[in-house]
Amino acid sequence: MKKVIALGLIAATAIALTGCTDSDASSPSDSTDGDLRQVRVAALPITETAALWGGIKAGIFAKRGLNVEVLPAQGGAQAIPALLNGDIDFAIGQPFGPFRADLQDLGVVVIGNYASSYAEGDDINAVVASAKSGITRPAELAGRRVAVNSLGAAGDVTIMAAVEKDGGDPSTIKFVEVAFPDAPAQLEAGNIDAAWVPEPFVTQLRSRGDTFIVAPYQAVVPGLTTLTTITTKERTESDAKLVDDFAAAMKETLQWAQDPANEAAVRQAIKDNLQLPEPVADSVKLPEFGWDLDRTSLQTLAELAQKYKVLDKQPNLDRLIQQK
Amino acid sequence: MAVPSTRRLRGLRKALLGLVGLAGFLVVWQLVPTLGLINPQYLPYVTDVFARLAEESVDLAFWRRLGATMKSWAIGLTVATVAAVVLGTIVGLVSFLRRATHTVVEFLRPIPSVALIPLAVLMFGIQMEAALVIIIYASFWQVFVQVIYGVADVDAVARDTARSFGLTRREQLTRLVLPTALPYLMTGVRLAAAVALILAITAEMVIGNPGLGTLIELSRSAGDSVGLYAFVVVTGLLGLAVNLVFRFVERRTLFWHQSIRGEQAR
């Protein structure tokens, strides 16, 4: 009896295995070239990372002898320790990570930009208020509960500045930390009055009747950088060739991603790497990709952060920004 | 003849009750979004979740992630158990050590190991080793504390008997102390197995080393609630399987112990 069951199990497994697909199999850069240099880059698992995934698939890094492995870091809290101990070579993250690292004198440098918001037109993120909150303009956010994905970063800083600009009192806003994907549910439940969200959530919320209030980046620092490329100072000195090669490949990748002719490839990279529904991957608004850092906008951001007591002093931008 | 048949009946009834409970749970789950108690966008229908699960189960990529999770679970649990048995036996046997470590253990034990993630990443980077640190940390205490109690629980009469029969230290350890501690150890390992699984998945969600946790996190950040709950169901099933396996092992190794014998006689 037991034998029959065992045989049956084996047969069932064999049949099941033949019906298997493998969604990992599409990765092209498998260890065919032994002389490629291994590079580990931490990046958030978000649609913006599509430029990097696409650039790798298009062979821009391999051309310069680099085999890039992208690790899905959840945020600066994991990426910066991993950078410091040499586990990863580069990280792509929002600018407050390096700001704080510089204030703690950790030897982190920003070697290039990655993505920016739009100086005009529809921006890539916005504050949206629920219909029942009755909020219609930035000044009315004062005294209300506003969600940002992480406290003490570009979101709450630019929202405070936008509210002040519109004549409201920014110190009375009650910021709460809510992950972007959870914001629509929290708005609907009435736990928050407004939320700062990127696409595709901006469109999703507006189409169900919630109110667009302001695009805080555009209102305060038009074209503000959203993601930068960082490494350690020690790496730029000890392995200048690697940093230069990587910087050159990144520059080309971001130009490639910015070219409308390659948009389909970038969107394909979203589908290959994220579990997004296809219509979303096809319609999500992409940021402006570019390698050149806008120092003035970073400086404005740091000054605003100090003004609203998110940072207690200014990072040393001369030391932090090392455009490659 | 009457004895095995009632036992079989009892087993059948137990299995039936389990199935009824499960069916009830699934029906309630299906009803909650159907009745509009929670928007189906956030809590998907059970039918959609299981359809997705069937889809994932024929994708090798899914099995590879599952394998990665189970690998870090197995390594973490083994290391934690071995370390806890060795250290717990030593500390439990030497009353001086037991008193000296008591405060430190009670201080370290409640620290949530998730709080150690930045430290683990600094030491090992974004990979399995960092996850292992927090898995081992959390599951170690479960076993360690049980072993200390178990080793200290040796019956005074039995110890005196062993002494008067002239058993050597080694014989006392293998024939008296370890059998006494075994039921405690088994309980500790069973608890640790569940804790290690929770931490293996949490680590993947927070650190980002590949596994089931990263799949959950990816679905969440994509707003894909069907996928999210499909993977959550998988973690639940894993927990169930782990518990069943350890109960089976417990029953086999402790067949002589009253806790098991009592259960069967009932």
Side-chain angles (χ1 to χ4, degrees), chain A residues 40 78-89 106 108 232 234-235, chain B residues 118-127 129-130:
Chain A
R40 285 160 66 87
Q78 276 69 48
I80 287 178
L83 259 184
L84 294 177
N85 88 345
D87 172 48
I88 57 170
D89 304 290
L106 294 178
V108 164
T232 58
E234 193 261 325
R235 184 63 54 104
Chain B
L119 186 68
V121 172
L122 187 61
M123 277 156 47
F124 294 105
I126 305 173
Q127 39 201 357
E129 285 83 342

Side-chain angles (χ1 to χ4, degrees), chain B residues 24-174:
Chain B
F25 170 71
L26 293 179
V27 167
V28 170
W29 180 356
Q30 181 75 5
L31 278 179
V32 167
T34 312
L35 295 178
L37 295 178
I38 298 178
N39 187 335
Q41 201 188 334
Y42 310 126
L43 182 70
Y45 298 107
V46 80
T47 41
D48 291 349
V49 169
F50 279 86
R52 179 61 168 276
L53 207 55
E55 222 171 89
E56 289 291 338
S57 69
V58 292
D59 187 346
L60 281 181
F62 163 75
W63 291 103
R64 220 169 277 140
R65 306 290 186 283
L66 185 64
T69 302
M70 292 318 284
K71 187 176 157 198
S72 47
W73 170 80
I75 297 176
L77 183 62
T78 312
V79 173
T81 306
V82 170
V85 167
V86 173
L87 290 175
T89 310
I90 295 171
V91 171
L93 284 178
V94 185
S95 67
F96 158 73
L97 280 180
R98 202 163 62 220
R99 271 174 283 136
T101 54
H102 180 79
T103 317
V104 180
V105 168
E106 289 308 316
F107 167 72
L108 290 175
R109 200 156 67 106
I111 294 179
S113 69
V114 176
L116 304 177
I117 284 179
L119 186 68
V121 172
L122 187 61
M123 277 156 47
F124 294 105
I126 305 173
Q127 39 201 357
M128 196 181 78
E129 285 83 342
L132 283 179
V133 171
I134 69 159
I135 297 171
I136 292 170
Y137 185 88
S139 43
F140 173 80
W141 300 113
Q142 305 282 345
V143 184
F144 182 73
V145 170
Q146 289 289 332
V147 170
I148 288 185
Y149 286 137
V151 166
D153 192 41
V154 172
D155 185 44
V157 179
R159 188 185 1 231
D160 291 343
T161 315
R163 255 192 221 136
S164 54
F165 272 84
L167 262 62
T168 62
R169 272 199 105 80
R170 171 182 293 228
E171 279 169 338
Q172 280 187 34
L173 192 70
T174 54

Side-chain angles (χ1 to χ4, degrees), chain A residues 116-123 218-219 221-224 288:
Chain A
S116 309
S117 59
Y118 289 98
E120 50 199 38
D122 281 341
D123 206 354
Q218 205 171 68
V221 196
L224 178 64
E288 181 132 350

Side-chain angles (χ1 to χ4, degrees), chain A residues 16-17 19-25 40 42 45-46 71-75 77-82 84-85 87-88 179 181-182 184-186 188 201 204 208 273-277, chain B residues 39 41-42 52 55-65 117-118 120-127 204-209 214-215 217-224 227 231:
Chain A
L17 276 176
C20 272
T21 53
D22 188 356
S23 57
D24 278 348
R40 285 160 66 87
I46 51 177
L71 295 135
Q74 290 304 336
Q78 276 69 48
I80 287 178
L84 294 177
N85 88 345
D87 172 48
I88 57 170
D182 300 334
Q186 297 290 341
E188 194 177 309
F201 301 108
Q204 186 193 325
R208 79 174 191 201
N273 292 282
L274 294 175
Q275 314 242 338
L276 276 185
Chain B
N39 187 335
Q41 201 188 334
Y42 310 126
R52 179 61 168 276
E55 222 171 89
E56 289 291 338
S57 69
V58 292
D59 187 346
L60 281 181
F62 163 75
W63 291 103
R64 220 169 277 140
R65 306 290 186 283
I117 284 179
V121 172
L122 187 61
M123 277 156 47
F124 294 105
I126 305 173
Q127 39 201 357
E204 286 156 3
M205 289 174 72
V206 181
I207 299 174
N209 55 313
T214 35
L215 286 179
E217 202 47 38
L218 261 180
S219 308
R220 195 177 85 96
S221 58
D224 172 16
F231 297 126

